[in-house]
Amino acid sequence: MNQLSQETSPYLLQHATNPVHWKAWNPNSLSEAKEKNKLIIISIGYSACHWCHFMEHESFEDDEVADVMNAHFISIKVDREERPDVDAVYMKAIQIMTGRGGWPLNVVTLPDGRPVWGGTYFRKQDWIQTLSQLQEIYLSAPEKMIDYAEKLHQGIQSIGIIQNEKLNVIPSAVELQEQIIALVEKWKHSFDWEFGGMASSPKFMMPNNYHFLMRYAHQKKDNALLEFVNLTLTRMAFGGVFDTVDGGFSRYSVDNKWHVPHFEKMLYDNGQLVSLYSDAYKLTRNPLYKEVIEKTLSFVERELMNEDGGFYCALDADSLNAENHLEEGAFYVWKIRELKTIIGEDFDLFSQVFNINTFGLWEDGNYVLIQNQSLEDIAKDNEISLSELESKKKIWEQKLYIKREKRSKPRLDDKCLTSWNAIILKGCVDAYKALEDCNYLELALQNANFIIKNLWSSEGNLFHNYKNQKSTINGYLEDYCWVIAAFMCLYEVTFDEKWLLNAKQLTDYSLKHFFDEKTGFFAFTSNLDEALITTHFETEDNVIPASNSVMGKNLFQLGIYFENSYYEKVSQRMLHNIMPGVDYPSAYSNWMDLALNYSEENKELAICGDLALEYSTKINSFYFPNLILAGTEKTSYLPFLKNRFNENETLFYLCQNKTCTQPTKDFEKVIADLN
């Protein structure tokens, strides 16, 4: 029978009424396969995955398909967001077998979990035929299948860390910077100089790529590269991937102009993009970036926040259309007749702003709102003031919002994931730094307390998930690295050292339960968890940066705060092992960001005195990506601040490479030195 009704994952619950006898990933399901000597079907997806829904409707809701699966296989459904460890291991297998990957991810394995076949989406008849053939081979010639599984297993295990043979030789800062310069020059050949982003489609936002490129361009005074980053951020804000009506970004664009999104909205995208646009606003003061930050956080707070201060995962791409059928994008798209009714006499001007023309047309008479001109240019062409057009745009968006709220909303994935919550927590803090809006700091503090209360156990470990007052999965490296990063970010705006001590405690736990001394990297899963068929080390930056690269940056920063040479050594070794093998820069942008910390531009600043927090607010409003900030309004025993506090005066200690200048009271001089 189908056992998924006992689960809390919205994705698994979506399959709870399938005729397939689905089981969840757990020791009992895996043991049953061994006891009955049955092949296992592992089907991995997530609640906002359009093609996952499509395959469910076509195959997993079908009795003919269910009969085949139930007769011969142990069928296990996996939510990739709850079990990223399982997903990562079998994604490696799929990539070896087919050269590509994606979701839904479907794998057939031996009873011991070693894969023998797999792919992504399959049509019904292809799925039935292949499963029947695999079962026949397993009965008639199991040795062939076992031999293939062994070879594939060896291949999966070999995908991992590229060891640097010169383990004891640390490249100089100059050598690191020369390598980064060469990688960026190579990367520039892939840029789309018309619409921003990479010159390909589909287009993913990849926030960390632009976080790094913006920092690099700023520090190297590469104005052309800075222009490209601003082009990209502007086009993303203009495009259909950003929901100008309600705020928030969709996961990616299917075309090259950021127009038609794959309409799901993910918490992790929006958290990272808030951080990116916050940094960009600090650098440019572009009001468009401020609008993006405010709308996105408004959306996240309104649609994804629970009453305890936690944030849900996602809104689905699909929603019910006028005919009551699930359809991708139904909630978001518009037809001309409807727009004319809503907008009224301003429709022609509205059409110029949002391209109700061939540029903005998607399909079947549906339009996805997209801008391709600045409001300044449109106001000038129509001989009206910019302020009047801005006011009209706000009124139009409010009218559309009211109308759209009457539609059937996309389905909500209402589980909370620790790593994603920490990502949006950091986004809220970064927004507070940029805009100095205390509401964003309050949101961040609420969320931090939610994590401490519900997702951090008394034994010292983090949990990965939370729903219905329950946390059931032990945390992964991604949970630790992002919570550590978010807590350090909170410290930078509060100077409350409990956030640093919390970060240190989680770091020490990670070193004990995740760090692999042999490779010099952190495993994705704790050594307290049951082992999978291979150990996964996440080192390539993707839509979310690799957990190892985030941990490397955390260790670098904590090493300075606590003057901990071991933290520094581990971070440096990780970077040294990775950088010689970097050829494709977009997959290592967070590592390259860490490498910039070893440049001559990197500095540390301690602010000690009664006005420390007041001055830190000003410092945080500037774009100083090369600065590590600490401070205190009282005597502190934090190693970096020890013996630096004097009563009744505020002193600035500016340092570089563990060498500090004489303390000064002159704030303007400090700003000049930082610039």
Side-chain angles (χ1 to χ4, degrees):
M1 60 178 288
N2 190 317
Q3 297 177 1
L4 297 186
S5 61
Q6 302 165 29
E7 300 301 312
T8 59
S9 157
Y11 176 65
L12 299 187
L13 291 172
Q14 284 172 7
H15 290 77
T17 57
N18 294 169
V20 175
H21 292 169
W22 290 118
K23 303 175 188 299
W25 180 279
N26 56 50
N28 291 339
S29 303
L30 300 172
S31 296
E32 184 180 341
K34 290 180 181 177
E35 289 167 11
K36 295 182 177 179
N37 194 30
K38 282 190 171 186
L39 295 174
I40 304 173
I41 295 171
I42 301 171
S43 181
I44 305 173
Y46 58 100
S47 69
C49 167
H50 173 71
W51 288 103
C52 300
H53 302 327
F54 200 91
M55 188 167 176
E56 178 194 13
H57 178 66
E58 188 179 30
S59 296
F60 302 144
E61 292 178 353
D62 185 271
D63 289 329
E64 185 184 359
V65 172
D67 288 343
V68 174
M69 294 174 68
N70 296 339
H72 305 299
F73 299 87
I74 298 295
S75 298
I76 298 178
K77 251 294 165 198
V78 177
D79 181 341
R80 70 171 293 261
E81 295 167 356
E82 281 198 337
R83 295 302 305 251
D85 56 335
V86 176
D87 177 63
V89 167
Y90 290 107
M91 183 62 76
K92 288 179 185 176
I94 292 294
Q95 288 169 336
I96 291 172
M97 286 187 276
T98 69
R100 58 190 179 86
W103 299 276
L105 191 161
N106 293 289
V107 185
V108 174
T109 80
L110 295 176
D112 62 9
R114 289 180 296 167
V116 294
W117 173 88
T120 51
Y121 164 77
F122 294 94
R123 296 184 184 280
K124 173 186 168 181
Q125 291 306 321
D126 295 339
W127 180 246
I128 291 174
Q129 184 179 354
T130 302
L131 293 183
S132 301
Q133 289 172 347
L134 288 167
Q135 174 62 12
E136 189 178 318
I137 294 169
Y138 189 57
L139 291 176
S140 61
E143 68 283 352
K144 289 184 180 179
M145 201 171 267
I146 292 168
D147 183 58
Y148 177 74
E150 180 57 32
K151 289 186 173 69
L152 179 58
H153 188 217
Q154 290 172 3
I156 296 168
Q157 290 178 313
S158 71
I159 297 177
I161 307 306
I162 300 172
Q163 281 284 3
N164 182 0
E165 294 174 3
K166 301 176 182 177
L167 286 177
N168 298 315
V169 181
I170 304 298
S172 69
V174 172
E175 289 170 326
L176 267 180
Q177 303 318 307
E178 286 176 350
Q179 184 186 3
I180 291 173
I181 290 168
L183 285 167
V184 171
E185 289 307 309
K186 175 184 177 182
W187 199 354
K188 288 179 180 179
H189 296 299
S190 304
F191 292 174
D192 179 345
W193 289 91
E194 183 179 3
F195 291 106
M198 298 302 109
S200 62
S201 58
K203 279 187 176 178
F204 288 82
M205 271 78 80
M206 305 297 286
N208 197 75
N209 283 353
Y210 302 104
H211 178 96
F212 163 75
L213 289 171
M214 181 163 58
R215 176 182 178 182
Y216 176 90
H218 175 69
Q219 289 186 202
K220 303 300 181 186
K221 297 181 172 53
D222 186 337
N223 292 329
L225 181 56
L226 204 54
E227 204 174 295
F228 169 73
V229 173
N230 280 310
L231 167 70
T232 301
L233 297 193
T234 299
R235 288 293 190 173
M236 289 196 307
F238 277 1
V241 287
F242 179 67
D243 180 4
T244 191
V245 172
D246 190 24
F249 287 86
S250 295
R251 187 163 156 253
Y252 66 88
S253 164
V254 300
D255 54 72
N256 72 329
K257 62 185 183 183
W258 307 105
H259 180 208
V260 180
H262 201 37
F263 289 89
E264 69 262 48
K265 291 181 179 179
M266 316 299 293
L267 183 65
Y268 63 79
D269 282 321
N270 284 286
Q272 291 180 92
L273 286 161
V274 166
S275 291
L276 175 63
Y277 277 90
S278 296
D279 277 354
Y281 179 75
K282 290 198 287 189
L283 183 59
T284 65
R285 301 293 162 181
N286 185 337
L288 175 65
Y289 298 168
K290 182 181 180 185
E291 179 186 341
V292 167
I293 297 163
E294 291 173 339
K295 282 184 174 179
T296 301
L297 286 178
S298 175
F299 156 74
V300 168
E301 184 178 4
R302 186 173 55 254
E303 300 292 342
L304 298 181
M305 188 175 180
N306 68 21
E307 59 188 14
D308 301 318
F311 292 99
Y312 300 134
C313 281
L315 286 180
D316 203 337
D318 298 353
S319 54
L320 294 173
N321 60 20
E323 289 74 43
N324 220 32
H325 297 137
L326 281 175
E327 179 185 331
E328 185 184 4
F331 182 72
Y332 299 100
V333 300
W334 305 93
K335 293 190 183 292
I336 284 184
R337 182 185 298 176
E338 187 178 24
L339 288 171
K340 283 184 174 179
T341 302
I342 297 166
I343 303 301
E345 62 183 19
D346 273 342
F347 178 74
D348 287 344
L349 185 57
F350 172 90
S351 297
Q352 289 179 53
V353 173
F354 289 117
N355 285 282
I356 310 305
N357 51 39
T358 55
F359 189 81
L361 178 64
W362 176 27
E363 61 183 18
D364 300 327
N366 289 317
Y367 288 82
V368 178
L369 304 185
I370 180 173
Q371 294 175 248
N372 63 353
Q373 297 180 74
S374 68
L375 292 184
E376 290 89 341
D377 289 344
I378 294 174
K380 187 177 179 181
D381 289 345
N382 287 272
E383 298 180 345
I384 59 175
S385 69
L386 175 60
S387 59
E388 183 182 354
L389 184 56
E390 288 173 337
S391 176
K392 284 180 178 290
K393 181 171 176 280
K394 285 180 181 177
I395 292 168
W396 299 334
E397 288 169 348
Q398 182 62 23
K399 286 181 176 180
L400 293 174
Y401 173 78
I402 291 168
K403 179 68 175 179
R404 210 173 68 178
E405 283 295 290
K406 296 174 182 175
R407 297 176 178 177
S408 177
K409 287 197 170 188
R411 294 178 291 186
L412 172 70
D413 186 322
D414 62 348
K415 67 178 180 289
C416 298
L417 297 180
T418 304
S419 52
W420 296 11
N421 270 258
I423 287 171
I424 192 67
L425 192 169
K426 186 176 182 302
C428 290
V429 177
D430 287 333
Y432 169 69
K433 288 179 179 179
L435 305 183
E436 299 179 50
D437 184 333
C438 292
N439 291 323
Y440 298 144
L441 178 57
E442 184 57 37
L443 268 182
L445 289 167
Q446 268 184 273
N447 186 247
N449 290 320
F450 166 80
I451 290 172
I452 289 171
K453 180 183 176 183
N454 299 292
L455 292 161
W456 194 355
S457 82
S458 56
E459 284 76 42
N461 66 295
L462 291 173
F463 290 104
H464 178 61
N465 66 327
Y466 176 85
K467 189 182 172 190
N468 300 340
Q469 280 70 54
K470 287 196 301 184
S471 298
T472 56
I473 300 170
N474 193 23
Y476 303 107
L477 183 63
E478 68 174 37
D479 301 306
Y480 289 84
C481 72
W482 283 109
V483 171
I484 292 164
F487 282 178
M488 285 196 293
C489 207
L490 263 178
Y491 167 74
E492 290 172 340
V493 296
T494 63
F495 288 160
D496 185 341
E497 289 177 14
K498 79 174 182 184
W499 300 116
L500 276 191
L501 295 172
N502 286 343
K504 186 179 188 302
Q505 189 175 336
L506 290 170
T507 299
D508 292 339
Y509 185 95
S510 302
L511 285 162
K512 182 177 179 181
H513 293 292
F514 292 86
F515 188 61
D516 180 70
E517 187 63 48
K518 183 179 177 183
T519 62
F521 289 91
F522 292 80
F524 191 75
T525 49
S526 164
N527 56 17
L528 300 177
D529 289 326
E530 192 168 336
L532 299 176
I533 60 170
T534 189
T535 302
H536 175 48
F537 295 93
E538 187 181 62
T539 56
E540 284 195 17
D541 299 321
N542 205 306
V543 174
I544 301 176
S547 46
N548 267 289
S549 69
V550 178
M551 191 60 88
K553 290 171 77 171
N554 291 342
L555 287 165
F556 178 90
Q557 191 167 345
L558 287 169
I560 290 169
Y561 286 142
F562 290 98
E563 295 181 357
N564 187 314
S565 60
Y566 181 66
Y567 290 175
E568 294 175 16
K569 179 184 172 185
V570 173
S571 176
Q572 200 169 41
R573 181 185 171 194
M574 292 166 74
L575 181 66
H576 174 54
N577 283 353
I578 280 289
M579 289 305 292
V582 174
D583 182 54
Y584 190 59
S586 67
Y588 296 93
S589 56
N590 206 43
W591 289 108
M592 292 161 67
D593 199 78
L594 171 59
L596 285 181
N597 288 350
Y598 292 92
S599 69
E600 288 301 313
E601 293 96 348
N602 231 61
K603 295 181 172 69
E604 304 92 41
L605 176 65
I607 312 173
C608 301
D610 296 342
L611 301 176
L613 210 51
E614 184 180 320
Y615 280 118
S616 75
T617 302
K618 295 177 182 177
I619 294 276
N620 280 319
S621 71
F622 293 109
Y623 182 62
F624 292 134
N626 54 322
L627 178 67
I628 289 175
L629 182 65
T632 184
E633 294 180 315
K634 59 187 179 182
T635 299
S636 171
Y637 296 98
L638 183 71
F640 184 66
L641 299 176
K642 199 172 181 182
N643 300 323
R644 286 183 164 173
F645 177 81
N646 289 330
E647 202 80 50
N648 301 321
E649 63 178 350
T650 299
L651 295 172
F652 301 91
Y653 298 81
L654 189 60
C655 312
Q656 188 173 21
N657 293 331
K658 300 183 179 178
T659 303
C660 299
T661 59
Q662 284 293 318
T664 179
K665 299 178 184 178
D666 189 343
F667 178 68
E668 296 303 326
K669 182 180 185 305
V670 171
I671 295 297
D673 289 344
L674 287 172
N675 279 318

